[in-house]
Amino acid sequence: MPALVLVEVEIHNPELYEEYKKHTLATISKFGGRFVVRGAKTESLEGDWNPGRLVILEFPSVQVAKDWWNSPEYTLAKNIRYQAARSKMLVVECNGEIGVN
């Protein structure tokens, strides 16, 4: 089943975060992933949630998403992100095809 990775990012070093972004796309593609949302404008409908940057990725499965996150390829980018931003990330298993009820 497909999986989504949701990332809330608070960037404190924009220049270094740009470097992180340069390293990330190829790692996502290598694992069959794609961006669904990348830093688009958000608006809170309920609660007190106003992320500085929201990213949503789609992968073929939860296991593939975990493999990407743990991969040597992404580790380089991840270490840059750790220096440039504070993040929260979770993986969600979709119960069926994305976009299908």
Side-chain angles (χ1 to χ4, degrees):
M1 291 200 181
L4 296 176
V5 173
L6 288 75
V7 189
E8 181 179 347
V9 184
E10 181 183 320
I11 301 167
H12 55 261
N13 186 330
E15 295 81 23
L16 193 56
Y17 193 80
E18 288 300 316
E19 186 66 26
Y20 159 76
K21 288 171 26 180
K22 291 177 189 175
H23 293 279
T24 303
L25 181 58
T27 69
I28 293 167
S29 298
K30 180 178 179 179
F31 286 85
R34 70 178 186 94
F35 284 99
V36 177
V37 173
R38 185 174 7 179
K41 182 179 181 225
T42 62
E43 180 180 344
S44 179
L45 297 177
E46 289 188 28
D48 185 21
W49 188 26
N50 188 20
R53 179 176 176 85
L54 183 67
V55 177
I56 301 174
L57 305 167
E58 178 187 355
F59 286 94
S61 69
V62 168
Q63 187 57 57
V64 172
K66 289 178 178 180
D67 291 346
W68 162 75
W69 190 85
N70 286 305
S71 71
E73 298 87 352
Y74 185 58
T75 296
L76 170 65
K78 191 172 21 177
N79 287 334
I80 295 170
R81 179 173 48 84
Y82 290 158
Q83 296 174 55
R86 195 172 61 172
S87 304
K88 297 177 186 173
M89 184 181 300
L90 56 92
V91 63
V92 180
E93 184 176 60
C94 301
N95 38 341
E97 291 183 43
I98 295 175
V100 177
N101 292 332

